[in-house]
């Protein structure tokens, strides 16, 4: 007779582990990462590798200093570094990219307890902090083929003069590494939806709300609607950052509210704010509201009063 084994929960484990999810998301970002290297050259590859490795090193060092279980193998730090790199211009100095990794991993993630405890998306928060502190370097954009020390060019979102075809494929487009090819981002996003890693509710409600607001504001101009959807970091944010498991609602109705809120805020910041881009600020603000969204969208057992369920 076999001895009775007593183990801690969970007793039933799913094959889709945190490590596997992180690897699949990084795989989904591979097309956009490769396209950025094709467009901007060796320095884009160096920036991606540097941020991925340095973010992982920051997490490993933090866990050792805090004398906590090592978590670098789950891949969440590497994914944060990759997302941060895709939110940066190719010309940014490496020490500033490293500072962004420290902000994302040390300040936003580990000081709040690590994966699952951070209140905001680490990569987005780091991008905003860099934008506010080293604005000149964060807004030094070059077009593919230009020298890295070339005079800064306006992004398509600010200039408004790019062709929709170029925006879709990422040819001759300046901006952050992850903003150049909508086609590659859509490929990765559809892949994640198809295998069930992310829900389509948030990206569709985000993009749909942004499209509807722009359509009304522009008086029905479909070209302006398409231009707004294809330019900037909207696709990167909608599929890869507004769908973060930790900082976004878990309920279907909550995801819908979150996406609609992101769409409205992005529209307002782009058209009435001082920044031409509003994706990062919109997602961060909605991250802060996530606990309240979940409180009002969580279902309660039939016959149980809401106050009793809340206890």
């Amino acid at each position: 007779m076999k001895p009775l084994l007593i183990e801690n929960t969970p007793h039933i484990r799913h094959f889709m582990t945190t490590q596997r999810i992180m690897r699949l998301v990084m795989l989904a970002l591979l097309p956009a990462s490769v396209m950025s290297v094709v467009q901007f050259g060796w320095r884009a590859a160096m920036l991606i590798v540097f941020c991925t490795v340095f973010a992982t090193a920051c997490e490993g060092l933090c866990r050792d200093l805090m004398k906590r279980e090592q978590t670098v193998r789950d891949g969440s730090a590497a994914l944060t570094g990759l997302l941060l790199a895709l939110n940066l211009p190719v010309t940014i100095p490496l020490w500033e990219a490293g500072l962004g990794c420290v902000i994302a991993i040390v300040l936003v993630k580990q000081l709040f307890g690590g994966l699952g405890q951070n209140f905001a998306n680490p990569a987005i928060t780091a991008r905003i902090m860099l934008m506010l502190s080293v604005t000149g370097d964060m807004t030094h954009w070059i077009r593919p083929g230009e020298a890295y020390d070339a005079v800064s060019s306006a992004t398509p979102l600010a200039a408004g003069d790019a062709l929709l075809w170029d925006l879709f494929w990422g040819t001759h487009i300046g901006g952050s590494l992850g903003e150049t090819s909508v086609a590659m981002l859509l490929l990765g996003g559809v892949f994640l939806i198809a295998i069930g890693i992310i829900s389509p509710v948030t990206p569709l409600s985000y993009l749909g709300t942004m499209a509807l607001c722009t359509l009304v504001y522009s008086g029905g101009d479909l070209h302006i609607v398409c231009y707004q959807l294809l330019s900037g970091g909207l696709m990167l944010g909608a599929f890869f950052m507004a769908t973060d498991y930790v900082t976004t609602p878990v309920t279907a109705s909550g995801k819908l509210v979150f996406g609609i809120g992101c769409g409205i805020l992005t529209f307002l910041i782009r058209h009435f704010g001082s920044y031409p881009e509003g994706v990062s600020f919109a997602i961060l603000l909605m991250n802060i509201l996530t606990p309240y969204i979940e409180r009002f969208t969580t279902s309660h057992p039939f016959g149980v009063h809401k106050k009793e369920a809340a206890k």
Side-chain angles (χ1 to χ4, degrees):
M1 181 176 180
K2 294 182 179 180
L4 179 64
L5 296 179
I6 300 177
E7 296 180 343
N8 294 327
T9 56
H11 301 298
I12 301 176
R13 294 176 172 83
H14 197 273
F15 74 95
M16 192 59 74
T17 61
T18 299
Q19 184 182 59
R20 184 166 295 177
I21 291 173
M22 298 303 165
R23 288 178 176 176
L24 288 171
V25 176
M26 293 180 71
L27 178 63
L29 285 167
L30 183 60
S33 302
V34 171
M35 179 60 75
S36 70
V37 175
V38 172
Q39 296 285 41
F40 294 108
W42 64 270
R43 202 175 194 286
M46 181 176 67
L47 184 60
I48 290 173
V49 172
F50 174 80
C51 288
T52 304
V53 173
F54 194 73
T56 303
C58 286
E59 172 142 328
L61 181 60
C62 275
R63 303 301 291 188
D64 284 342
L65 292 176
M66 294 187 295
K67 301 186 185 308
R68 294 181 178 175
E69 181 183 358
Q70 195 55 255
T71 57
V72 293
R73 291 186 178 181
D74 65 19
S76 60
L79 177 58
T80 297
L82 175 58
L83 283 171
L84 177 61
L86 295 178
N87 276 279
L88 300 176
V90 69
T91 56
I92 192 171
L94 289 183
W95 74 267
E96 292 178 0
L99 176 62
C101 293
V102 172
I103 294 172
I105 299 299
V106 179
L107 299 183
V108 182
K109 186 181 178 186
Q110 292 302 326
L111 288 186
F112 284 90
L115 183 64
Q117 305 298 321
N118 47 291
F119 73 98
N121 186 290
I124 285 180
T125 308
R127 183 185 189 276
I128 292 175
M129 292 295 293
L130 289 176
M131 180 70 73
L132 297 175
S133 57
V134 288
T135 307
D137 291 334
M138 283 292 291
T139 55
H140 183 238
W141 318 107
I142 62 169
R143 292 187 175 88
E146 292 182 341
Y148 295 129
D149 58 352
V151 176
S152 180
S153 303
T155 62
L157 190 58
D161 58 355
L163 299 175
L164 295 182
W165 183 259
D166 289 339
L167 289 172
F168 183 75
W169 289 109
T171 54
H172 314 297
I173 298 301
S176 298
L177 299 185
E179 295 179 2
T180 54
S181 179
V182 171
M184 297 299 103
L185 292 171
L186 282 175
L187 180 63
V190 171
F191 167 72
L192 292 180
I193 292 174
I195 63 176
I197 296 298
I198 65 173
S199 167
V201 175
T202 297
L204 290 181
S205 59
Y206 190 169
L207 298 175
T209 302
M210 181 65 189
L212 180 61
C213 291
T214 306
L215 184 67
V216 174
Y217 181 75
S218 64
D221 193 327
L222 292 178
H223 181 272
I224 295 178
V225 174
C226 293
Y227 198 96
Q228 286 291 319
L229 292 177
L230 296 177
S231 56
L234 186 58
M235 292 296 173
L236 179 64
F239 285 100
F240 294 98
M241 292 185 286
T243 55
D244 178 39
Y245 283 9
V246 178
T247 58
T248 57
V250 296
T251 61
S253 55
K255 294 178 188 296
L256 179 63
V257 172
F258 187 91
I260 293 174
C262 286
I264 293 174
L265 289 173
T266 300
F267 169 78
L268 292 175
I269 295 171
R270 281 188 174 186
H271 290 85
F272 303 105
S274 58
Y275 289 98
E277 178 61 279
V279 173
S280 296
F281 291 98
I283 295 177
L284 178 60
L285 289 172
M286 293 306 296
N287 284 164
I288 297 172
L289 294 177
T290 291
Y292 303 99
I293 295 173
E294 289 190 330
R295 180 181 300 175
F296 290 106
T297 58
T298 301
S299 60
H300 304 287
F302 181 75
V304 178
H305 194 275
K306 289 185 177 181
K307 292 183 178 178
E308 294 178 358
K311 295 179 181 179

